[in-house]
Amino acid sequence: LEPHAASAFGQHLLKRIGPRLGKTAHMQRNLRLAFPNLSEAERGDLLREVGADAGAVLAEYPHFKAICHDHFEQHFEFVEGWNLDEYRAGRRHGVFVTAHLGNWELTAAAAGRQGIPITVIYAPSRNPYIERLLHRRREALGCRLVSLDEGARPLVRELGEGRSVGLVVDARDDDGVPIPFFGHDKLTTLAPARLALRFGCELIPVRIERLGPARFRLTVHEPVRPDRALA
């Protein structure tokens, strides 16, 4: 299948079978916490859409090369919320952060296509077969990859070399601090903010939205700068 058709097929499949999978009860609980004012039917619709997006992400993995290189313009819109020319020229570097939205895997590829040298930090799979499979697919992203298992030293090295780093930061961190999220305190990592402060660089939020099957909009927002009065 070509990328759009594969993505649409994955959406359709997981939208149908997703609510029957083992994690459904856990996801329903989270949706009740996040959206207490929605009806059960409305939360059910959300659950099916979550499944649809997961199906699209899975179906897009085999097509990373086509999406990221061969036909990039057919798959991406790029919205620059501020001027990134200094980053393209290598005169500045920053800590780019995003969340598990759209197809978060493709965020680094879009940044790279805009001429921003970036190293992405990823959490390796516990299944060695899945890990090898994902690593082969991620080679098409065109960025350096560093595993979380390697600790903070590689991040320090990459920033020290003048490269930017990218992190997906919305996973639970048992060593994090409680930060309000949908009205509930959730343990959240402070590593991106600490890296930005240590190296005197900017913390830059990035959002990738799914516009359709294998179609995305990537928005680079203005940096979050520290309030020195709170230091």
Side-chain angles (χ1 to χ4, degrees):
L1 297 176
E2 56 87 27
H4 292 95
S7 180
F9 175 77
Q11 283 182 312
H12 178 73
L13 181 64
L14 266 291
K15 188 172 186 176
R16 291 178 64 87
I17 70 172
R20 299 182 177 88
L21 299 179
K23 294 206 173 208
T24 297
H26 183 75
M27 295 167 68
Q28 287 173 329
R29 174 182 176 273
N30 284 341
L31 288 174
R32 281 195 293 271
L33 288 171
F35 304 106
N37 297 325
L38 294 184
S39 67
E40 287 298 322
E42 289 171 320
R43 284 195 289 269
D45 290 340
L46 269 180
L47 186 63
R48 284 185 286 275
E49 291 303 321
V50 170
D53 192 65
V57 170
L58 289 171
E60 287 157 359
Y61 272 106
H63 299 281
F64 274 9
K65 182 176 181 296
I67 293 172
C68 300
H69 297 283
D70 300 344
H71 308 291
F72 181 81
E73 290 76 14
Q74 297 178 20
H75 299 282
F76 271 96
E77 296 177 9
F78 190 84
V79 179
E80 194 170 312
W82 58 301
N83 193 316
L84 293 168
D85 287 347
E86 293 286 300
Y87 286 83
R88 295 188 182 94
R91 291 190 289 268
R92 298 176 74 174
H93 62 289
V95 179
F96 290 80
V97 293
T98 191
H100 287 93
L101 302 171
N103 190 333
W104 58 93
E105 295 271 7
L106 301 174
T107 306
R113 286 295 296 256
Q114 294 300 312
I116 301 170
I118 191 166
T119 298
V120 171
I121 317 306
Y122 73 98
S125 171
R126 296 176 184 175
N127 183 312
Y129 172 76
I130 297 295
E131 176 60 19
R132 288 194 298 271
L133 183 64
L134 290 176
H135 189 77
R136 286 202 302 270
R137 298 303 180 189
R138 286 170 174 157
E139 288 177 351
L141 299 178
C143 62
R144 292 186 190 175
L145 295 168
V146 172
S147 168
L148 276 175
D149 290 349
E150 297 180 48
R153 186 171 296 175
L155 300 183
V156 173
R157 182 187 66 237
E158 295 297 307
L159 286 167
E161 291 179 2
R163 294 179 63 84
S164 294
V165 299
L167 303 94
V168 182
V169 294
D170 59 331
R172 171 176 168 168
D173 180 2
D174 289 337
D175 295 322
V177 298
I179 291 178
F181 183 70
F182 283 93
H184 302 270
D185 283 348
K186 295 298 174 184
L187 295 174
T188 305
T189 180
L190 295 183
R194 287 171 174 156
L195 281 170
L197 288 170
R198 176 174 176 179
F199 286 90
C201 57
E202 291 166 317
L203 182 67
I204 305 162
V206 179
R207 178 178 59 179
I208 187 166
E209 303 168 77
R210 181 176 296 282
L211 304 179
R215 282 278 301 144
F216 308 95
R217 177 188 296 121
L218 186 104
T219 304
V220 181
H221 295 276
E222 291 190 17
V224 176
R225 296 185 172 90
D227 183 347
R228 297 297 180 183
L230 300 176

